[in-house]
Amino acid sequence: MTVRTHPSVTADSLVARLFQVVDSRSWDDLGEVFADDAVYERPGYPALEGLARIRHFYEHERIIASGAHEVDQVTGGLAAAACWGRFRGASRDGTALDEGFADTYLVRDGKIAYRRTYFYRAAI
């Protein structure tokens, strides 16, 4: 399989832009980082399939009202990358949020085609 990448995009710059868009709640800019047919998997939700579904999640379903991602590390190449860090903010009901996270990405043509988020909580 040949993976085409956008020459001016790096894993670091794509992850930085993703969290800039999300943390600033710039939903109109989600298409800059997610492919139209992107799939986003995260705990507690069925797979979010397609840019429109991902946008709906961020605008209407996500419990977060405000906050910021702090990325500790981005690793891998642009075709397949991962990052980890911490999110601090507030939920829609005002509860303080402080959560470690890790993401994996598959990238196509400089945009995220697949994203999976993990949280650092005991689950099993």
Side-chain angles (χ1 to χ4, degrees), residues 8-108:
S8 64
V9 175
T10 65
D12 285 330
S13 69
L14 184 59
V15 168
R17 181 65 180 141
L18 167 67
F19 291 127
Q20 179 184 43
V21 167
V22 170
D23 292 345
S24 68
R25 305 175 65 84
S26 300
W27 311 135
D28 289 341
D29 297 334
L30 283 169
E32 292 179 16
V33 291
F34 283 104
D36 288 341
D37 61 347
V39 175
Y40 179 23
E41 293 184 347
R42 60 184 285 131
Y45 297 88
L48 307 171
E49 299 183 10
L51 180 58
R53 177 67 183 98
I54 292 168
R55 181 178 176 146
H56 184 271
F57 164 76
Y58 277 114
E59 283 187 290
H60 303 289
E61 298 173 36
R62 186 172 182 240
I63 68 163
I64 296 168
S66 64
H69 291 82
E70 302 165 12
V71 176
D72 294 331
Q73 183 73 41
V74 177
T75 189
L78 184 56
C83 77
W84 54 91
R86 185 153 221 89
F87 175 84
R88 290 183 176 94
S91 71
R92 290 179 189 233
D93 70 6
T95 302
L97 302 172
D98 185 350
E99 187 74 43
F101 73 92
D103 273 354
T104 58
Y105 308 94
L106 296 177
V107 179
R108 182 180 68 243

Side-chain angles (χ1 to χ4, degrees), residues 108-122:
R108 182 180 68 243
D109 296 331
K111 294 184 179 183
I112 299 166
Y114 177 81
R115 176 183 179 198
R116 180 178 286 171
T117 297
Y118 302 88
F119 298 114
Y120 293 99
R121 292 177 185 249

